[in-house]
Amino acid sequence: MAKHNHRHQSKAEGQIPSADVLAEVQQLLNEGARRAEKAQRFCSGLADCCRFRQTGETPHVTLGEAWLVCKAWKATGRTKISLPDDGSCPFLNQHGLCLIYEARPLACRTHFCVQAGGALPRKEVIDLIHQLEDIDVKLGGDGAARLPDVVNRLMKYHTGKAKPQR
C-alpha cells in the first residue's frame, strides 16, 4: 500500500491518464455516491453546496478526479472555466444544475450541504480518498487542489496553452 503523505517531491506536470485509470477513478467516485445514498445523503438539487462563497467550502480534487471533470466539461463544448461573480461552482448552468454531474468529484458526491444531510463522515470514505490519492501520485500529482483551479490548468494544458502545474 502506498504512503498517503503527499508532502514529498513530485513531478512538475501530471501525466494524461489512460482510459483504464479514468475508469478506476469513476468507479471510486460511484462507490462514494453509493455510500452517501446508503447513509441517506441525497442531493436536494438546490445547488446550495455549489455556492462556494456562501458555504465557505470549495471541493478539493485529486488529479484523476480533475481529469474526469475536464473531460466532462469539454464534452459540454466548453473550453474555459471561470468562477462566477457570486462565488458559485463554475460547472453550474444558468438554472443551477450541474453540467458535470456524472463526473463530479468525491467531495460533491458525499454531500457536504446541510439539505442533503450533511457531510458523510470522513471515516466512511477514507479508503476511497486514499485510493484517489494513490492514483494522484501515479499521475504525477502532489495532492488535492481546489476544483476550479486544477481543472482550469488541465484545460489550458489540454488545449496546448500551458502545462499542468499543481
Side-chain angles (χ1 to χ4, degrees):
M1 185 149 153
K3 283 186 175 182
H4 299 289
N5 177 0
H6 296 291
R7 298 263 183 231
H8 61 288
Q9 69 183 54
S10 67
K11 298 174 187 170
E13 54 188 62
Q15 301 173 8
I16 296 175
S18 67
D20 288 343
V21 169
L22 288 178
E24 182 181 357
V25 171
Q26 185 67 60
Q27 192 172 41
L28 293 169
L29 299 180
N30 291 344
E31 176 59 20
R34 188 193 69 73
R35 291 179 191 183
E37 189 174 301
K38 186 177 176 186
Q40 301 295 306
R41 304 301 201 280
F42 299 102
C43 181
S44 65
L46 298 175
D48 286 347
C49 56
C50 304
R51 293 178 182 28
F52 304 153
R53 190 176 301 144
Q54 178 182 332
T55 64
E57 301 281 342
T58 301
H60 283 65
V61 299
T62 61
L63 202 50
E65 291 172 283
W67 277 110
L68 274 182
V69 169
C70 182
K71 185 176 175 184
W73 187 243
K74 286 187 68 171
T76 69
R78 291 162 176 88
T79 58
K80 293 182 180 182
I81 300 167
S82 58
L83 247 124
D85 292 337
D86 68 357
S88 295
C89 179
F91 305 111
L92 295 178
N93 70 12
Q94 67 271 20
H95 305 292
L97 299 175
C98 182
L99 294 167
I100 59 155
Y101 193 79
E102 292 303 316
R104 72 197 186 283
L106 184 65
C108 298
R109 291 167 187 260
T110 55
H111 306 296
F112 56 83
C113 71
V114 174
Q115 292 86 351
L120 193 62
R122 187 173 170 89
K123 68 182 181 180
E124 299 292 326
V125 291
I126 195 66
D127 61 318
L128 302 177
I129 292 169
H130 289 322
Q131 290 175 68
L132 289 167
E133 289 172 339
D134 289 345
I135 292 169
D136 186 78
V137 170
K138 288 177 191 172
L139 293 176
D142 58 0
R146 287 172 26 99
L147 173 64
D149 298 340
V150 69
V151 175
N152 233 345
R153 287 191 291 265
L154 290 177
M155 291 293 286
K156 288 177 183 173
Y157 173 74
H158 204 64
T159 59
K161 294 180 183 174
K163 293 186 179 191
Q165 297 177 348
R166 305 254 324 162

